[in-house]
Amino acid sequence: MPNSVRGAGALVALEGAVAVVVVVVLVVRGLQGHDQSQASGYGTAAWFGILGGAVLAAGIGLLAGQRWGRAIAVIAQVLLLPVTWSLLTDSHQPLLGGVLGVVVVAALVLLFAPGTNRWMAEEYEVEAP
């Protein structure tokens, strides 16, 4: 397994782990009554839990050499690009947007690196370019 897959797996697993931390924070805030609506806090936590859990699983899968993790990882990165843009512009959170942008772009570069493409093609016995 190439280092590009390991690097992508680590970055994607990190994203998933951050989402799981957000779930814990949202649930704790909901239990303490900080949210305007408990349904909103718990609903957001459930959303982050489902998506973040899938992203975390994809990252762990890539680290374990599982090719299925790449599809989920690519979709997650593409969906995080507009989030990055929003953090940089409308949300006025340039530090968070910058950090997220670097992680997302780095993960995409690693997910489409030549070594990763060759590794993916081996499963299907196809000659990668």
Side-chain angles (χ1 to χ4, degrees), residues 11-121:
L11 290 175
V12 172
L14 174 65
E15 292 169 352
V18 168
V20 170
V21 169
V22 169
V23 169
V24 172
V25 169
L26 289 171
V27 169
V28 168
R29 284 181 53 86
L31 291 172
Q32 293 176 343
H34 289 291
D35 292 320
Q36 295 174 355
S37 162
Q38 288 183 347
S40 174
Y42 295 134
T44 304
W47 181 251
F48 268 86
I50 293 166
L51 294 179
V55 172
L56 180 59
I60 292 169
L62 285 171
L63 288 170
Q66 300 296 315
R67 288 172 173 82
W68 58 263
R70 184 181 186 217
I72 297 170
V74 168
I75 291 168
Q77 303 320 298
V78 170
L79 292 174
L80 283 171
L81 286 172
V83 174
T84 299
W85 181 255
S86 178
L87 286 170
L88 289 170
T89 58
D90 299 336
S91 297
H92 307 291
Q93 297 287 330
L95 180 61
L96 291 176
V99 170
L100 180 60
V102 167
V103 171
V104 168
V105 170
L108 281 170
V109 166
L110 292 170
L111 287 166
F112 288 102
T116 303
N117 289 336
R118 282 190 294 275
W119 176 73
M120 288 294 294

